[in-house]
Amino acid sequence: METRRVLLVEDEKSIRDAVVAYLEREGFWVTPAADGEAALHAFSLHNFDLIVLDLMLPKVSGEDVCREIREKSDVPIIMLTAKGEVDDRIAGLELGADDYLVKPFSPRELIARIKVLLRRSHVTDIPQRDFLKYGDLELDVGGHRALLAGKDLDLTVSEFKLLLVLARYPGRVYSRMELVDKVLGYDFEGYERTVDSHIKNLRAKLGDDPKEPRYISTVHGVGYRFEAQG
């Protein structure tokens, strides 16, 4: 099995050392970084399969690190935060993170989240058709790419899988909980609202007006529906 490479960005040495030890015990290749500047430098030098990113960092904030990485890559990102408010966590997801974990956390739970994200980013359970096309929107399932008018949408892992789940059955209404289960694979407090955050990001990338959507419609009180384009 190929060794997965993880960038761990955490300024608290005790937490960083403990997580590195757990990850290495699980067979991951870990590059630790103690601040945002070191994280961006490491990211420029290596290809990572996943990034664990603390929000509260010296030199360059976790939010800015996430923004800069998202401009260049759709690598899965798990955010670590000491902020317990759902709105704070949603803000991190809207920056492009795929998951979050609130401190204090169990390293075992972090590793479980990492494994779920890596399974989703490297294997898809949906590809009965290799390509889906609706108007000027194309989904390359095998290549894990979405194109609009021939231009790559640069979707994150979660955004791509969410769009793929919706586009697989145009006209079907999915509840938020169904999407949580199919896209994220597990649930905890606040995760239904993360679907809204991913939909918001998707609509922005699709150029979709929520009031007059071409692709993703809101069914109030229920969830979301993909609108087929001819």
Side-chain angles (χ1 to χ4, degrees), residues 37-174:
E37 188 176 279
L40 291 173
H41 179 66
F43 180 76
S44 71
L45 296 177
H46 306 289
N47 291 321
F48 293 98
D49 294 288
L50 183 138
I51 297 173
V52 179
L53 176 64
D54 188 19
L55 280 183
M56 306 294 289
L57 294 171
K59 297 187 179 180
V60 180
S61 71
E63 289 94 336
D64 287 341
V65 170
C66 187
R67 286 191 192 96
E68 189 162 336
I69 288 174
R70 274 292 169 258
E71 289 176 0
K72 304 170 183 176
S73 173
D74 63 354
V75 60
I77 297 175
I78 298 178
M79 280 190 167
L80 303 179
T81 175
K83 299 177 180 179
E85 293 298 322
V86 171
D87 287 342
D88 292 325
R89 289 176 266 167
I90 296 300
L93 289 159
E94 289 181 347
L95 290 173
D98 296 279
D99 198 356
Y100 60 79
L101 201 54
V102 179
K103 294 179 178 178
F105 60 87
S106 160
R108 290 176 60 193
E109 182 178 4
L110 175 60
I111 287 170
R113 300 281 185 87
I114 287 172
K115 289 180 177 179
V116 167
L117 264 181
L118 288 175
R119 282 199 300 271
R120 282 171 33 213
S121 63
H122 289 89
V123 179
T124 177
D125 58 358
I126 297 176
Q128 293 161 339
R129 292 160 57 183
D130 289 332
F131 293 91
L132 298 174
K133 183 172 173 61
Y134 301 101
D136 54 2
L137 176 65
E138 297 177 73
L139 299 182
D140 175 1
V141 179
H144 212 269
R145 297 175 65 203
L147 299 97
L148 186 64
K151 295 184 178 179
D152 201 315
L153 290 176
D154 293 323
L155 303 183
T156 68
V157 171
S158 296
E159 290 164 0
F160 180 82
K161 191 163 186 182
L162 176 58
L163 180 58
L164 188 56
V165 167
L166 290 168
R168 186 185 178 199
Y169 294 107
R172 173 177 171 176
V173 180
Y174 284 91

Side-chain angles (χ1 to χ4, degrees), residues 3 14 32 52 58 77 86 92 96 117 146 161 170 178-179 187 203 205 207:
T3 300
S14 59
V52 179
I77 297 175
V86 171
L117 264 181
K161 191 163 186 182
E178 284 182 293
L179 293 172
D187 185 30
R203 282 174 167 162
K205 292 178 181 181

Side-chain angles (χ1 to χ4, degrees), residues 148 199-220 224-225 227 229:
L148 186 64
I199 290 288
K200 179 180 177 181
N201 290 344
L202 264 177
R203 282 174 167 162
K205 292 178 181 181
L206 288 166
D208 222 5
D209 182 353
K211 296 180 180 178
E212 297 182 10
R214 293 184 62 208
Y215 296 107
I216 301 175
S217 295
T218 300
V219 181
H220 294 289
Y224 296 101
R225 176 180 62 222
E227 305 292 348
Q229 302 289 315

